[in-house]
Amino acid sequence: MSLEAALRAALGDAHVLVDPELRAPYETDWTGRFTGKARCVVRPADTAQVAEVLRGCAAEGAPVVIQGGNTGLVGGGVPAGGEVLLSLARLGELEPVDRAAGAVTAGAGVRLAGLQAHARAAGLDFGVDLAARSAATVGGLVATTAGGIHVLRHGSMRSQVVGVEAVLADGTVLTRLAGLAKDNTGYDLSQLLTGSEGTLAVLTRVRLKLVPLAAHRAVALVGVAGTQQAQDLLAVARDRLRSLQAAEICYADGLALVREHNRLSAPFAEAYPAYAVLECAGGTDPTDDLLEALAEAPAVLDATVASDSAGRARLWAYRESLTEAVNAAAVDAGGVPVKLDVCVPAGALPEVVAALPETVAGVAPAARTIIWGHLNEANLHVNVLGAQERAEQVSEAVLRLVAAAHGSISSEHGVGRAKARWLSLSRSGAEIAVLRRIKQALDPAGLLNPGVLFAE
Ligand code: MLT
Ligand code: ZN
């Protein structure tokens, strides 16, 4: 029996897609930057079916690429060419919230917004939030250790994971979903698989910690003179505001793109070189504390604060629409953006931000560099327009600049295929040798996400 026939027998005809038109939505990432043809797309419904798919692929030596909500930004979830594409979108089971433990077990295909709504309905919340919440899925968020806007308060996805269920390349199922608060019984496999980008196993269910639900929120959009001043503001906010949960930064050029794309009015009478978004949340209304902190921060040139949900959404739109606005600008110009996600030591942030446009111009003179990011973590999203033909050179130049500043070539999007060839800028030869030994131990035939993390 052919592999496709075996997969059909296991999953049903409707969930093995070979028709090019049906495969197409799975074969390109949403930015349009990564694309490849899959041998077929399979859509299992549960862990047992995932195990059947992987056993079938292992028997034939067929490589597999794993996809969640297809919101990734490093090409880790789309085929390079010829793989079986394993979509986890149907693993959408969400168990009741365990209030005693403050945790919930979710299928890999559960969307972030669904998880958040589920937790809130039970009087709790989920600690990770990001702009792609309506499409990003739990499996992909764990596999890439997604970060987002609340890392300052709750940590990244890694901090929320207390257990996983996963299937190895040979079909072996590992289930560790108890999520005990203390469990010192050897290597922590849940944390090993978190951030492994689908190279070690396929995550099918995860046990996630929940956080208290904040009844009140307040958001400030603040105009500042530059990166250093935004960091000065953050230092005041961190000192004074126990309720602080987000601190983001964007710049005048990015804000102008968002305004144009979303037809938004200017937030202030004057334009400023940089803008910070601060968000506080707590059991009592944090608005007065936020206003007081802003009044005490000399870096504030102008500020606007909103406490009601429409007002907060209006201020967040200036920051959260950047991804879409940059993509639309690139598409209008007939291309796709070059997107890099990096982290630098906080003290180096102003000089790296200042050096980036010139660094990019050195290899792509006509390009436009739009920067934004997560201020507290010194995590920059470097988006380059008009440099599609020079993507390799731009990536190389930016990642080398970051490495020279002792930063990381991936802060929260992962390495994927996009950055695999530059892994050695962030990890030593000894570290990479250990990573490869771990890969060899769990996936000796190299069938899971080939080309992701390790350049082939
Ligand atoms: C963001 O924080 O805006 C995201 O990580 C997405 C992006 O970089 O486009
Ligand atoms: Zn981000």
Side-chain angles (χ1 to χ4, degrees):
M1 193 177 357
S2 74
L3 176 60
E4 280 75 4
L7 293 171
R8 275 198 198 95
L11 310 185
D13 287 353
H15 298 298
V16 180
L17 315 178
V18 288
D19 183 331
E21 267 180 44
L22 296 177
R23 288 192 335 242
Y26 299 85
E27 292 178 328
T28 301
D29 79 315
W30 75 270
T31 64
R33 194 172 156 211
F34 303 97
T35 188
K37 297 277 171 246
R39 171 172 172 171
C40 60
V41 174
V42 295
R43 304 189 309 171
D46 55 25
T47 303
Q49 288 196 350
V50 171
E52 279 200 70
V53 168
L54 292 182
R55 271 193 295 274
C57 291
E60 205 181 279
V64 179
V65 63
I66 304 141
Q67 189 178 97
N70 199 10
T71 57
L73 292 165
V74 288
V78 289
E83 301 97 323
V84 171
L85 192 152
L86 174 55
S87 165
L88 297 172
R90 290 178 69 219
L91 275 69
E93 199 192 335
L94 202 39
E95 291 185 11
V97 167
D98 178 347
R99 286 212 48 110
V104 68
T105 299
V110 168
R111 289 169 198 270
L112 176 58
L115 172 65
Q116 291 169 333
H118 186 64
R120 287 171 194 159
L124 291 168
D125 206 350
F126 185 57
V128 168
D129 192 20
L130 39 82
R133 58 185 74 80
S134 62
T137 56
V138 161
L141 293 166
V142 175
T144 56
T145 330
I149 56 180
H150 293 158
V151 173
L152 183 160
R153 179 89 159 261
H154 301 299
S156 72
M157 206 63 196
R158 183 177 294 287
S159 310
Q160 326 306 320
V161 174
V162 291
V164 304
E165 179 171 83
V167 187
L168 299 181
D170 65 2
T172 303
V173 177
L174 303 174
T175 304
R176 193 149 195 92
L177 289 168
L180 299 176
K182 289 186 160 182
D183 180 14
N184 276 353
T185 52
Y187 307 137
D188 187 335
L189 297 178
S190 302
Q191 286 296 325
L192 175 66
L193 299 184
T194 301
S196 65
E197 301 190 37
T199 60
L200 300 179
V202 178
L203 295 164
T204 53
R205 289 196 292 162
V206 286
R207 180 81 171 164
L208 298 163
K209 204 174 84 176
L210 298 174
V211 301
L213 179 63
H216 302 274
R217 281 159 199 255
V219 175
L221 179 70
V222 186
V224 292
T227 311
Q228 182 60 61
Q229 289 78 2
Q231 287 185 304
D232 295 344
L233 165 65
L234 172 63
V236 173
R238 268 195 318 229
D239 277 356
R240 294 197 47 116
L241 298 166
R242 286 169 57 88
S243 58
L244 188 67
Q245 68 170 8
E248 303 283 307
I249 186 162
C250 60
Y251 296 88
D253 50 3
L255 194 108
L257 268 184
V258 165
R259 284 191 51 209
E260 199 183 305
H261 179 62
N262 288 20
R263 298 180 196 285
L264 296 179
S265 57
F268 303 114
E270 258 183 65
Y272 296 104
Y275 299 87
V277 177
L278 303 181
E279 182 177 76
C280 293
T284 55
D285 187 353
T287 311
D288 289 346
D289 290 347
L290 178 56
L291 287 168
E292 274 172 36
L294 293 173
E296 286 202 6
V300 175
L301 297 178
D302 204 347
T304 172
V305 172
S307 309
D308 63 301
S309 106
R312 293 192 316 255
R314 187 175 49 80
L315 296 186
W316 266 116
Y318 291 108
R319 157 66 181 90
E320 287 209 317
S321 310
L322 276 157
T323 299
E324 261 180 60
V326 158
N327 224 64
V331 169
D332 285 351
V336 293
V338 179
K339 293 178 78 73
L340 296 156
D341 155 54
V342 298
C343 191
V344 298
L349 190 69
E351 69 187 76
V352 170
V353 170
L356 276 165
E358 206 178 307
T359 301
V360 171
V363 291
R368 274 172 81 195
T369 304
I370 311 286
I371 302 167
W372 68 87
H374 308 287
L375 181 62
N376 184 64
E377 294 80 51
N379 171 185
L380 295 173
H381 297 311
V382 184
N383 285 253
V384 183
L385 296 170
Q388 198 177 336
E389 313 299 321
R390 307 280 295 160
E392 293 300 305
Q393 293 86 342
V394 166
S395 301
E396 170 97 17
V398 169
L399 299 181
R400 284 199 180 278
L401 173 76
V402 166
H406 306 290
S408 170
I409 63 160
S410 174
S411 183
E412 58 171 9
H413 295 170
V415 172
R417 293 183 211 284
K419 293 182 189 164
R421 80 198 62 175
W422 292 292
L423 186 61
S424 62
L425 289 177
S426 278
R427 306 300 293 257
S428 69
E431 282 181 301
I432 292 174
V434 172
L435 300 188
R436 283 192 180 275
R437 270 160 32 209
I438 295 170
K439 169 76 173 167
Q440 174 70 22
L442 270 69
D443 177 20
L447 297 180
L448 299 182
N449 275 2
V452 169
L453 190 55
F454 307 108
E456 280 179 313

